[in-house]
Amino acid sequence: MALSVGFIGVGNMGNPMAGNVLKAGFSMTVFDVNPKAMENLIQAGAKKAASAQEVVDGSEVVLTSLPASPDVEAMYLDRGGLVEHAKPGTILIDLSSVLPSTPRKIEPRARERGVHFLEAPVSGGVTGARAATLAIMVGGDAAALATARPVLRAMGPNIFHVGPAGAGNTVKAINNMMACVNSAAMMEGFVLGVKAGLDPMTIYEVVKASSGGSKAIERIPRALIPRDFEPGFKVALMNKDLETFHTIAKELHVPVTFSALAQHYQQAALAAGLGEQDTSVVFTIIERLAGMQAPR
Ligand code: NAD
């Protein structure tokens, strides 16, 4: 019989991920502190829980997708939290992007209670979450992953077991740093091109077919030209991921530079009150610095 699955935190990423797990035929219980976030899932057949504890009570596998380390540590490690509340044998999987120290704290506490814990941060954005094409970076016990794999497979085909707890969030921070640097470089180039009088779509088409292209270039038609900065991926969350990258770099004494440049723009966007908008909104900061605004 298909595993019973619980999902806690059904925001921009959690909602489409939970939707795909439900579509794959797993029974599902959901909880979010924001009741509106759960509505479409309830309509699609998920059971609504009144608390995170209620989710754990009814589920063999529990997935969480929460903003950041403090939220995840409180959810799992507080008195009455998931680790304390789960029955032995339950598999708890955190899909959030957090400091590697967070899964390293949770995993031994779960193991003491006979509960399995995996970290499994994801990449591919809201588009990848909707299309079930996410990359999933798992750290933790391989046997627990083997049991939970069909659930993760409903969210994406690229499931990587990268090592012990902490390894998943290390590779996730590396990925997001690289994505953010690519994006900052693309936006600076785009602003310069528009100020030089080039047609915005010409910049996109030429660079896409050339050596400067990366996935970041897709932001040009999707977000920059229509000026659509609805999240997506919030500035505040990308800033958190760059902080994670810097924390790891400092711990390991690795001198890094590009991540600080990318974070410079995230910080400017936060200071401008744009933290809850999509990271593409950084484009408007670069425009302002360049003293221009791209035509629609
Ligand atoms: P979000 O803010 O849209 O969603 C978080 C959800 O968690 C919200 O619905 C919120 O109400 C809920 N929540 C917060 N605290 C809770 C609690 N104690 N109990 C129950 N629900 C709670 O954020 P998101 O964009 O979905 O990101 C979630 C995680 O995934 C973050 O760690 C983020 O960095 C990561 N991530 C995001 C993207 C993206 O493109 N948005 C891509 C990859 C990874």
Side-chain angles (χ1 to χ4, degrees), residues 11-13 32-33 65-67 75 97 122 125 232-234 237 240:
N12 286 321
M13 286 300 282
D32 194 296
V33 284
S65 178
L66 301 168
M75 173 65 65
S97 310
V122 301
F233 188 36
K234 295 171 198 162
L237 293 178
K240 169 232 7 165

Side-chain angles (χ1 to χ4, degrees), residues 7-21 32 37 40-41 63-67 95-97 120-137 155-156 172 176 231-234 237 240-241 278:
F7 212 115
I8 302 169
V10 287
N12 286 321
M13 286 300 282
N15 194 295
M17 288 192 280
N20 283 326
V21 173
D32 194 296
N40 63 326
L41 297 166
L63 305 166
T64 52
S65 178
L66 301 168
L95 306 163
S96 325
S97 310
V122 301
S123 180
V126 170
T127 315
R130 287 190 188 128
T133 56
L134 293 171
I136 307 174
M137 309 162 200
M155 304 186 303
K172 171 64 184 170
N176 275 29
F233 188 36
K234 295 171 198 162
L237 293 178
K240 169 232 7 165
D241 292 344
D278 190 81

Side-chain angles (χ1 to χ4, degrees), residues 2 5-6 12 23 33 52 61 68 86 94 112 120 124 179 192 207-208 241 256-257 271 273 293:
V5 179
N12 286 321
K23 261 190 241 158
V33 284
V61 175
D94 182 41
E112 272 170 25
L192 183 141
V207 178
K208 190 178 162 78
D241 292 344
V256 292
T257 44
Q293 195 184 96

Side-chain angles (χ1 to χ4, degrees), residues 53 142 185 215 261:
Q53 286 72 14
K215 285 187 178 169
L261 296 175

